[in-house]
Amino acid sequence: MNFAVLASGNGSNLQAIINAVKAGKIKGHLVLVVSDRENAFALKRARKAKVPTAFVDPKQFSDRESFDRAVVEKLRQSSVDFVALAGFMRILSSYFINAYRDKILNIHPALLPAFKGSHAIKDALEYGVKVTGLTVHFVDEQVDHGVIILQEAVPIHPTDTLEKLEKTMHSVEHKLYPKAIDLFARGKLEIRGRMVRLR
Ligand code: GAR
């Protein structure tokens, strides 16, 4: 299966995915990396790995759906079968979700449904929970809501700083996300209501 990664920032998850594809740990072809930010480090990582890239400039579009239409067109031009969001900081329109229904994966740095939103690691630390973690889920119309594929818990220690916890979280997500992508690419995930079963 062909897949694309959408990323807005540093792209450390993208790097983990690139490495996993190269090592044969993801049985899928990464055919495109799309960003909404021209200077995203993720694009540099993709170019270095010789993965085709596309920058789609949100400023060129009047609303979310027309931006998403342009992205979906690029995905179709590259024969993309499924999509992995990796730090893509935009909410997808229903147009996008419908174009790739049950074929869009996302990684969120908390144990959903706890700590939705874009500061999940900080929020969990400040709340004082003893355990947080990572969630890979399908993307639906609601933010951080879709059916859960994999989760992994990460304990929070009293001495943890935000920097320390972020480092631990990243090291866990860089293993968990490629694993989930590989399961999807190999057709191992079956959705039953809100449950995902491994075939
Ligand atoms: C990752 O930690 C990912 O879990 C998080 O953004 C970071 C992107 O880092 N995603 C979200 O918060 C989604 N709500 P990266 O660009 O280095 O992969």
Side-chain angles (χ1 to χ4, degrees), residues 9-14 86-87 89 106-109 117-118 144 170 173:
N10 176 29
S12 67
N13 280 281
L14 167 67
M89 291 310 185
N106 183 43
I107 180 121
H108 181 75
S118 49
D144 298 331
H170 288 316
E173 68 182 337

